[in-house]
Amino acid sequence: MKHLQFVLVLVVAVNVWECGDAKFGEKGEIISPRRRRCYDGSLPKRLKKRERKVLHDGGSSSSSGELCHMLYSRVSCCPTRRAAYQILHRMDARIFSTNNTECAHLLDEIKCARCSPNAQVLFHSLDIDRQPHREPDLPRLCLDFCRKFYYTCRGHIPELFQADVDEFCQYYGRRGAGLCFPDFQRRQLLGQDSNYLEDEKIDGLNRRHKHNCYCAQEVLSGLKQPVAVVHCGDGSQRLFVLEREGIVRILTHNLELIKEPFLDIHKLVQNGLKGGDERGLLSLAFHPNYKKNGKLYVSYTTNQERWAIGPHDHILRVVEYTVSRKNPNQVDTRTVRVLMEVAELHRKHLGGQLLFSPNGLLHIILGDGMITLDDMEEMDGLSDFTGSVLRVDVDTDSCSSAYSIPRNNPYFNSTNQPPEIFAHGLHDPGRCAVDRLPSDNGSLVILCTDASGKNTSVGRILEITKGKDYENEPSVYDLQSNGWAPPVGGFIYRGCQSRRLYGSYVFGDKNGNLQILQKSSFSTSASGEEWQEKAMCLGSAGSCGSTIVGHILGFGEDEQGEVYILASSKNMAQSHSGKLFKLVDPKRPLSPKECQRQVEPPELLMTACSRYCKNGHCTPTGKCCCSPGWEGPFCRIAKCEPACRNGGVCMEPNKCLCKSGYSGLQCEKSERGLPNDQEKDGILDHIIDMTSYLLDLSSYIV
């Protein structure tokens, strides 16, 4: 009797275990649980010892059945190797066949998903279940594996990859915390290591850190107050490091620092060394078409050539430069063109960052300059542009440089078209970043860190939208005041090295605290998606080889979308304590194969405008805008007003070369005293006529 009771209790326990994850329908019937079920809903089988013997015998993975038994070695929906072989060979040969060895290996693994004890969850999802007439070809893939599969096989199976990687992985990838393929632990028995599961191999990094920590790999040291690091987008993979005193240096793709600076304007830049003084070289932005037009834009503070008399402390200036036609690693400072100047009273809350949107519009982010109500009352017009995001179309073909300064605003000057106020209400913008990936509706996403008020260090994260006033608009996220210093903006990570960081907004504060914001997968607000805070663990020097110590000065991004961090010692007396760190994920190799891109050497600027526009400047679209006194397609023809008379040639602006026997500014005087129309040309006169003709002809030919 006791034995019978024990058996009954055991049966009840088994039923409870089987139905523990089940759901009940409207009529009370039990719906099969969505865990550990085969594709057809049956229970997976525990493999017998003789079926697992292949793992210990070191069996070859050439047989598909053996491979699946190696991946699912204990519990499987293919109880025998023969069953696995039959299941796999019923797959569509058009999709699951290729001559590429690496792609074929991934396909063999994906075929084995039908043998997974979680096959029902892997193949049946909400998105796929909406199409009951179509049997899914692929299981739900883990995002890391999905991207690797896409880049490895897209050139060999074009029928499967009709979309880009983001669209492909949005359909086949698993979003959220559900199960995804590969749902097995990789081992050395497959002959290679994975870079997308927890037992991955680390390239050059110690694995003693916590599983959720990232590493800051030191790339460069000995910098003098670095403020930003940018790339030019020409395929050369160079990094341009800005130092506050007015120098821009180049770090090549192989991490070599070029001795000669890319740009040196330290004689123009007025910078401050005291704590809180933000003056100096502020920002650098390369034109999206930089590879063809060589245009770059710089903002800095200066006190030279004051254009207005007033109590302002300095001028924030935005200028355009063109790279040298002879050296792609140097700027031709003679090509300078001032776009905008703003007078500022104080040395804090300056902003000054420049960034381009994908459509080629230049955004200029300005802080409030700590302007008080008294300042605004005494100096009308001073605050018209402070605390704003200005937008300028630098691609205009207009050569007009005459934009009159409004009388009610003597503190702003623009030599280009008047800027558009894109948004306003900012206080102390740390850094702003444009997301490489547009939003779902195709709009531009700009995230900025900012102070919550004029005289506070409490921070906030703003998503900048056209026409908004951020004095009243809610922020994306409010930073806690406990232990936080003024925020320093970062980037929305769109790199390839760290898949778990993809889409996260990485930022920090000046004390070295790092944060991550991620958009929720499910919309919980009326406006759409919400940003959620996640802790960012940074490994120690013992586990990562290096770590950030001191103040965070700024963030940067390279051409691949990898994020960099600039930091320096807290001791201001150490002038060359600046360092550049690269944020890496130790759970993946430092340079995964699918992330590698071919380096293109920087090319000389070879546009016709850059070669021949001697007496003017080139617009980003390639039009030569002439300086006063010059005209013609490439500004090679001097202009004299009034025009030269009596066969005289205009050699320089308002300077005529006269024939023999004539003089005056326009060659209007005759030295022989005869009427002008009765002068007989001599041999010298014919030479001058021929010279004039050849000069005119050569200018048009060129």
Side-chain angles (χ1 to χ4, degrees), residues 52-71:
R52 299 201 304 260
K53 192 172 182 293
V54 64
L55 301 177
H56 303 287
D57 295 343
S60 171
S61 62
S62 59
S63 169
S64 300
E66 292 181 356
L67 173 63
C68 296
H69 274 252
M70 295 166 70
L71 300 181

Side-chain angles (χ1 to χ4, degrees), residues 123-325:
F123 283 93
H124 294 284
S125 66
L126 294 178
D127 294 336
I128 295 181
D129 287 344
R130 295 193 187 104
Q131 303 178 8
H133 62 281
R134 177 186 173 186
E135 185 176 354
D137 301 317
L138 300 176
R140 274 301 184 193
L141 305 176
C142 298
L143 290 181
D144 297 331
F145 182 88
C146 181
R147 297 182 74 89
K148 179 178 181 180
F149 174 56
Y150 181 90
Y151 286 118
T152 304
C153 296
R154 63 176 174 176
H156 308 285
I157 316 176
E159 297 85 359
L160 184 60
F161 302 101
Q162 298 294 328
D164 60 23
V165 61
D166 295 315
E167 293 175 351
F168 178 82
C169 292
Q170 184 177 9
Y171 183 80
Y172 286 108
R174 169 70 71 185
R175 289 165 289 179
L179 275 172
C180 56
F181 182 86
D183 58 333
F184 52 83
Q185 293 289 328
R186 284 184 174 264
R187 296 178 177 84
Q188 293 289 345
L189 57 91
L190 293 181
Q192 62 178 11
D193 291 310
S194 166
N195 52 1
Y196 44 84
L197 288 181
E198 290 186 357
D199 58 349
E200 299 156 347
K201 182 180 178 181
I202 308 290
D203 260 0
L205 294 176
N206 196 319
R207 289 205 50 189
R208 290 177 293 175
H209 55 75
K210 297 179 181 179
H211 71 281
N212 61 338
C213 290
Y214 297 87
C215 286
Q217 178 193 15
E218 183 176 324
V219 175
L220 184 64
S221 61
L223 298 173
K224 187 175 182 180
Q225 289 189 304
V227 294
V229 55
V230 297
H231 68 87
C232 63
D234 65 347
S236 64
Q237 300 184 20
R238 295 173 294 173
L239 287 176
F240 298 80
V241 184
L242 283 67
E243 294 180 330
R244 185 184 298 275
E245 66 177 356
I247 295 177
V248 180
R249 303 187 182 278
I250 295 180
L251 185 68
T252 63
H253 71 280
N254 52 4
L255 304 182
E256 293 183 0
L257 189 67
I258 297 179
K259 183 178 180 180
E260 294 296 327
F262 178 68
L263 176 65
D264 186 356
I265 54 173
H266 74 277
K267 293 182 179 180
L268 301 175
V269 175
Q270 183 185 27
N271 65 317
L273 298 177
K274 294 183 179 180
D277 193 335
E278 300 176 5
R279 294 175 302 168
L281 180 59
L282 301 176
S283 183
L284 165 65
F286 290 91
H287 192 279
N289 199 26
Y290 172 78
K291 188 172 183 178
K292 293 185 178 180
N293 62 32
K295 297 294 181 183
L296 56 135
Y297 300 83
V298 178
S299 64
Y300 60 89
T301 58
T302 184
N303 203 25
Q304 293 190 353
E305 301 175 3
R306 294 194 179 207
W307 48 266
I309 299 175
H312 54 271
D313 175 77
H314 62 272
I315 297 169
L316 191 153
R317 179 180 293 165
V318 180
V319 300
E320 176 192 86
Y321 285 108
T322 305
V323 71
S324 172
R325 299 190 302 270

Side-chain angles (χ1 to χ4, degrees), residues 9 15 63 70 76 93 107 169 187 201-202 211 219 259 280 353 471 500 569 590 596 652:
V9 170
N15 282 314
S63 169
M70 295 166 70
S76 174
L107 287 174
C169 292
R187 296 178 177 84
K201 182 180 178 181
I202 308 290
H211 71 281
V219 175
K259 183 178 180 180
Q353 186 188 358
E471 285 285 1
R500 59 183 176 139
S569 171
L590 294 182
Q596 297 175 7
E652 296 179 10

Side-chain angles (χ1 to χ4, degrees), residues 17 88 156 212 223 240 436 445 467 496 547 578 639:
W17 179 80
L88 300 184
H156 308 285
N212 61 338
L223 298 173
F240 298 80
R436 293 186 173 199
V445 178
C496 179
T547 190
K639 185 167 54 175

